[in-house]
Structures are given as C-alpha cells and as structure tokens.
Amino acid sequence: MLLYEQIRKNKVKTVFIVTGFVLFVLLVGAAISYVNYGDAIPGLIFTPIFSLFYVGIVVMSSTNIVMKMNRAQEVTSVEEHRFLWHTVENMAMVARVPMPRIFIINDLSPNAFATGLKPEKAAVAVTTGLLDRLSREEVEGVIAHEVAHIKNYDVRLSTVTLALVSVIAIMSDIGSRMLFFRSIGGRRDQNQNPIFMIIGLVLLVLAPLIAMLINMAISRNREFLADASGAELTRNPDALASALEKIANVETPVEQASSASAPLYFSNPLKKKVSGLFSTHPDPVERISRLRQM
C-alpha cells in the first residue's frame, strides 16, 4: 500500500470510529434515562453537558497526570541528554510542529509515548531502555512515530477517548445505582416499552466493556497512522520496523506503565499476549510487514 494512501485510509477509519463512539455515549445516556424515568430526552440533554465538563478537566491536566503516573523526569536542557534533545528537535522541525517537552523514564524495557492537548502543549517520553538498546537510527524512528502522533493530534484523540470511557463507566455506575434504589422503592413507569427496557438494561450492563473495545480500536488504528507518518518524516521505514522488532521481542514490561496509560505507548508496555478486539496495539508482525512494504 502506498504511504499516502495508507495515511488517508487510517484517517478516514479513525473519524468513523470516533463518530460512532460519540454517538454511543449519547445512546448510553439516553438508555440510562429511559430505564430509570421512561424518557430518553433528559439523558440526551445531560450526557453532552457532563461529558464536556469531565473531558475538559481531564484534557487540560492530562500531560502532568500521565508523566507523574509513569514517574517520568523532564529533560530541561540540551546538556542533560544531547542526543535525545537534538533528535526530538530535528523530528519536530521536519514535522513542522513546536518542539515538545522531553521526559525520560528510568526503566530497562525499551518504549516511548507522547501526550498533550495540542502540539504547543505536547510532550514525549522515552525509557532509558530505549536509549540503551536501540541504535541511533532506530531511536530516531521511534521519536518520529511519537512526533507523528503529535502532528496528527492523536495525543488529544487518545486523551479524549480515554476520558469518554471513564464517562461511560461513571454513568453506568450511577444508572445502575439509581435503578437499584428505584426497584427497592417499587417505582416504575408503566408507560415504558418492554423491548426498549431490555435494550436499555443490556446497554447499562455492557456499556463499559463496549466503550473499552471502541477505545482499543481507536488506539490500534492510530498506531498504524503514526507508523506511516513516522516513516514519512524519516524516509526510513526500515529503521522504524527494526526498532519495533527489537521492542516487541523484549518480554520485560515497563514497570511504571498502567492499563490506563498503556494505549499511549509505542508498543504494548504491559507485554500481555492479547490480540484481536482486546488489544491496545496492532500485532507487531503486521506493523512490521506494513513498514517493510513502504
């Protein structure tokens, strides 16, 4: 597949999935409202308001939260790590984005990630294992991949989708509690359609799982897009493929990585052998194959 064609298809797929995710959030809100009160309208009104408020708080503080969560230390001057500083600086220049803040995670497992609301507020973090185990060209490939996430606004996308997963989990929990207390009180709207009630109850139970699956699908798709964009920045897809191959073959997980921050990483930092719908990252073999064909 040609480079630009792959980038175009990945962008189209991402827009489609994200649109479906937003509609699903509204559907869950409507279902909770209907199950409890027999009217979906209040849920359709309240859900966007609550989602915008919650997502706004998460997004505004996302960079510092993620870096603290992963115990990353900021590199504040070129003297602290000249090679890493210049590599990030060069890739940012090629991508035509502001130079992101740089962080290092003291961990033997090679990996990296990017985060931030927008390119002007972005940050890149790499592990010490990445700097020690990979060649200069391979490190450059990984940095290009992360800078591509910033250029494509993937870091904002991943933060927003993660926040929406939390919104659905919170709403499902509140909706379940409301339904429980209403059932104890014996209150029920007799005008509720039994079919709609069943659909609403199923959504109430399965919504958090479905939201996680959608988030993972977005995460997998954005990795393909960043691979293609990163290869475009370096003009060296083989170096990125080689880096991915080395990182995928390391079985030691990143100690500070959590399930919440795992989708942000270049490669699955938890090293769990999960594939298909429940994987946060595409199969490394498929990613490497696509890069080798560029």
Side-chain angles (χ1 to χ4, degrees):
M1 185 184 297
L2 293 175
L3 173 63
Y4 295 107
E5 179 66 12
Q6 180 173 326
I7 292 175
R8 186 192 67 80
K9 287 189 175 182
N10 282 330
K11 286 183 176 180
V12 171
K13 188 184 295 184
T14 298
V15 170
F16 177 77
I17 296 174
V18 171
T19 302
F21 198 0
V22 172
L23 293 176
F24 179 69
V25 173
L26 293 175
L27 181 61
V28 171
I32 292 173
S33 179
Y34 187 83
V35 166
N36 282 283
Y37 301 105
D39 187 359
I41 301 301
L44 290 174
I45 296 173
F46 172 78
T47 300
I49 297 173
F50 174 69
S51 299
L52 287 173
F53 176 76
Y54 185 87
V55 170
I57 293 176
V58 172
V59 168
M60 292 302 294
S61 57
S62 61
T63 298
N64 291 332
I65 290 175
V66 171
M67 292 305 175
K68 288 180 180 178
M69 186 187 302
N70 291 272
R71 297 187 181 180
Q73 300 297 317
E74 187 168 7
V75 178
T76 56
S77 68
V78 64
E79 286 77 18
E80 292 183 41
H81 203 295
R82 192 170 298 275
F83 166 65
L84 178 60
W85 185 280
H86 286 313
T87 301
V88 174
E89 185 178 44
N90 291 339
M91 286 299 100
M93 287 173 56
V94 174
R96 297 181 181 180
V97 298
M99 182 174 172
R101 295 162 64 190
I102 304 172
F103 290 79
I104 293 181
I105 302 170
N106 187 18
D107 197 290
L108 296 176
S109 183
N111 225 314
F113 69 84
T115 186
L117 174 61
K118 53 185 178 179
E120 293 79 8
K121 301 289 185 181
V124 172
V126 302
T127 64
T128 52
L130 183 90
L131 299 171
D132 293 338
R133 298 193 184 202
L134 271 60
S135 69
R136 297 174 73 90
E137 285 190 341
E138 290 166 345
V139 172
E140 184 181 71
V142 174
I143 296 298
H145 172 101
E146 299 306 330
V147 170
H149 276 312
I150 296 170
K151 181 181 179 180
N152 296 333
Y153 284 84
D154 286 346
V155 287
R156 176 190 291 180
L157 172 64
S158 60
T159 303
V160 170
T161 54
L162 191 60
L164 288 176
V165 171
S166 299
V167 165
I168 288 180
I170 293 170
M171 288 172 53
S172 296
D173 183 60
I174 293 174
S176 299
R177 291 175 185 274
M178 289 171 59
L179 184 62
F180 175 74
F181 287 115
R182 286 177 67 84
S183 63
I184 290 179
R187 290 173 292 178
R188 183 178 178 277
D189 193 330
Q190 298 300 321
N191 295 322
Q192 288 170 309
N193 186 300
I195 296 177
F196 288 161
M197 274 293 294
I198 294 173
I199 294 174
L201 289 171
V202 170
L203 272 175
L204 195 60
V205 174
L206 297 182
L209 175 60
I210 296 173
M212 286 184 62
L213 292 177
I214 296 174
N215 185 41
M216 290 175 182
I218 294 173
S219 176
R220 291 192 298 272
N221 194 63
R222 59 188 283 275
E223 291 305 324
F224 283 129
L225 177 57
D227 282 344
S229 300
E232 181 185 23
L233 295 178
T234 61
R235 302 294 178 182
N236 189 1
D238 285 338
L240 183 54
S242 177
L244 180 58
E245 203 166 30
K246 285 185 179 180
I247 294 173
N249 288 331
V250 174
E251 297 184 356
T252 307
V254 178
E255 291 184 3
Q256 304 305 327
S258 64
S259 57
S261 62
L264 297 175
Y265 277 82
F266 174 73
S267 180
N268 184 4
L270 306 179
K271 300 299 180 180
K272 294 180 179 179
K273 301 298 183 182
V274 181
S275 60
L277 294 176
F278 293 93
S279 175
T280 57
H281 292 72
D283 186 349
V285 175
E286 184 177 357
R287 290 175 65 183
I288 292 168
S289 176
R290 290 193 183 193
L291 286 166
R292 299 287 191 200
Q293 292 173 18
M294 289 182 183

